Amino acid sequence: MSTLRVRVWRGGETGRFQEFEVPRLESQTVLDVVTYIQRSLDPTLAYRFACRVGMCGSCAMTVNGKARWTCRTHVAKVADGDRLDIAPLNHLPVVKDLVADMSVFFDKWAAAKGRFQGARTRKDDFARVPPDSRRRKLVDEAIECIGCGVCYSSCDVVSWNPDYLGPAALNRAWTLYNDVRDTGQKARLAAVAGDAGCHACHTHMSCTERCPKQLSPTAGIAGLKRAVLTAALKGEL
Amino acid sequence: MNIRTQVLLWGAQRISAMVLALCVVVHLVTIIYAVRNGLSAAEILGRTRGNVAWASFYVLFVAAVAVHAPIGLRAILSETLGWRGRSPDIAVLVFGVLLALWGWRAVYAVFVA
């Protein structure tokens, strides 16, 4: 059986990489490697996971320099020979070892008005949104976000501008902008506009390239740019 | 700077980029034509002097540069140097005005020379 040489970040904002030797197995995921280290080599290692099947978005880490969802990332796909470097997500404070503090990430979802705001009450009938309508299709293309933070961690603009809302929050705003039931559009467009919002995006497309769900936040951000500019020209911003 | 102004600046930069894309091509073709045909300075000035079409084109070109460059510079100052707030806005506004004045002065010079 061959062996993986795995360097794992230990500590908080300051710390160091600690090397472990892990047995290499067939169909082994990066999360399997981290779990092996914690259960068999060092029980003090902190990391975060829940579903293990790519639904919950809690196990994202930086693997050999790139943000990935570790539960669905096979070692064979990302290992550099027998080497694997595993660190917490970039652009977020480190709680301990591989655990990043996601507070800022989700605070920005709230700042981008990422909450549905409807006008109907429980006494009203269901809203009917035709599945093949143009705006519903736009929602479909962006709705499967699991909030893993891979896009945020991969975005250059986030590293340059700490106030930038980031791809995930803007993608969420785009899905709600295209939700015909939502009544909070004016405030949402104002929230996602300008230097800290969609107009800061340079269209590098790292978010789109790295999104494990194959979404394109870049496309949604481009849509928001157009929608906000139109609102600004009409004096509605 | 309020949000609406930030958005309109973004729009202005996109529109000025479209103008520049056209102007730069025309400008480069003109340069290559002038160099390959061995035009002297006097011959070039002879063609630009009093030429309203030529002057109008370069007035537009300079205007597009004066709009486009300061907005881009503002983003660079913010993202690369962390210089944000009112002071860089004033600095790039001055930079834009200077670009326009220098450019239009040059256009005027070869128009009336």
Side-chain angles (χ1 to χ4, degrees):
Chain A
M1 183 191 300
S2 62
T3 302
L4 275 171
R5 289 190 298 154
V6 186
R7 297 195 325 140
V8 178
W9 181 258
R10 305 304 305 270
E13 290 297 323
T14 58
R16 63 185 176 81
F17 280 94
Q18 182 180 359
E19 187 156 325
F20 297 94
E21 291 194 351
V22 176
R24 191 162 188 169
L25 304 169
E26 196 180 347
S27 300
Q28 189 177 28
T29 67
V30 175
L31 185 63
D32 291 336
V33 170
V34 176
T35 300
Y36 177 88
I37 292 171
Q38 196 216 41
R39 293 187 180 172
S40 304
L41 303 177
D42 186 345
T44 67
L45 177 67
Y47 69 109
R48 186 190 283 133
F49 75 97
C51 75
R52 298 176 294 172
V53 290
M55 289 171 64
C56 72
S58 58
C59 70
M61 301 171 199
T62 305
V63 183
N64 280 1
K66 292 182 181 175
R68 296 179 182 278
W69 55 352
T70 57
C71 70
R72 301 292 299 273
T73 301
H74 281 225
V75 169
K77 182 184 169 190
V78 294
D80 180 12
D82 63 348
R83 297 207 67 100
L84 212 53
D85 286 1
I86 308 175
L89 287 176
N90 291 325
H91 309 154
L92 292 165
V94 182
V95 178
K96 180 178 182 288
D97 300 339
L98 301 174
V99 180
D101 181 353
M102 305 292 283
S103 304
V104 179
F105 176 72
F106 287 113
D107 286 347
K108 288 181 176 179
W109 284 49
K113 306 286 182 195
R115 196 175 75 172
F116 173 74
Q117 186 181 328
R120 290 174 183 245
T121 69
R122 66 180 65 187
K123 297 187 179 72
D124 296 318
D125 194 7
F126 288 110
R128 286 175 172 75
V129 181
D132 57 350
S133 62
R134 187 184 68 85
R135 299 193 79 173
R136 175 64 227 192
K137 285 180 179 174
L138 290 172
V139 174
D140 285 341
E141 289 171 5
I143 199 67
E144 295 289 343
C145 175
I146 56 174
C148 64
V150 163
C151 59
Y152 188 86
S153 177
S154 304
C155 176
D156 292 324
V157 182
V158 172
S159 67
W160 299 329
N161 180 1
D163 294 333
Y164 178 50
L165 291 170
L170 292 169
N171 181 74
R172 172 63 182 161
W174 174 244
T175 61
L176 289 171
Y177 172 73
N178 286 296
D179 190 328
V180 293
R181 303 166 303 163
D182 194 284
T183 57
Q185 302 297 2
K186 191 174 178 183
R188 182 169 297 113
L189 287 183
V192 301
D195 294 344
C198 58
H199 298 97
C201 172
H202 286 266
T203 321
H204 287 173
M205 299 186 75
S206 300
C207 55
T208 299
E209 184 180 307
R210 303 260 175 90
C211 175
K213 299 291 288 184
Q214 279 85 49
L215 306 183
S216 177
T218 314
I221 292 169
L224 284 176
K225 286 175 178 175
R226 291 191 295 270
V228 172
L229 181 61
T230 303
L233 290 172
K234 289 180 178 175
E236 295 172 355
L237 201 60
Chain B
M1 184 183 293
N2 67 42
I3 293 288
R4 183 163 185 261
T5 308
Q6 291 172 17
V7 175
L8 293 178
L9 281 182
W10 179 86
Q13 200 188 24
R14 281 349 185 234
I15 291 168
S16 59
M18 294 174 200
V19 174
L20 283 174
L22 182 67
C23 289
V24 167
V25 170
V26 173
H27 182 60
L28 288 176
V29 169
T30 306
I31 290 174
I32 292 166
Y33 171 81
V35 170
R36 286 178 66 87
N37 286 281
L39 290 178
S40 67
E43 286 170 328
I44 291 173
L45 282 176
R47 292 167 192 223
T48 62
R49 192 179 299 126
N51 188 331
V52 175
W54 180 90
S56 302
F57 172 79
Y58 276 94
V59 163
L60 176 68
F61 194 169
V62 170
V65 170
V67 169
H68 190 83
I71 301 172
L73 183 63
R74 179 174 174 270
I76 292 169
L77 292 174
S78 164
E79 293 174 353
T80 307
L81 302 179
W83 188 18
R84 302 185 176 93
R86 198 169 168 76
S87 56
D89 291 348
I90 294 169
V92 299
L93 177 65
V94 171
F95 177 65
V97 170
L98 287 175
L99 277 180
L101 291 178
W102 285 329
W104 285 332
R105 179 171 167 265
V107 176
Y108 177 76
V110 290
F111 181 69
V112 299

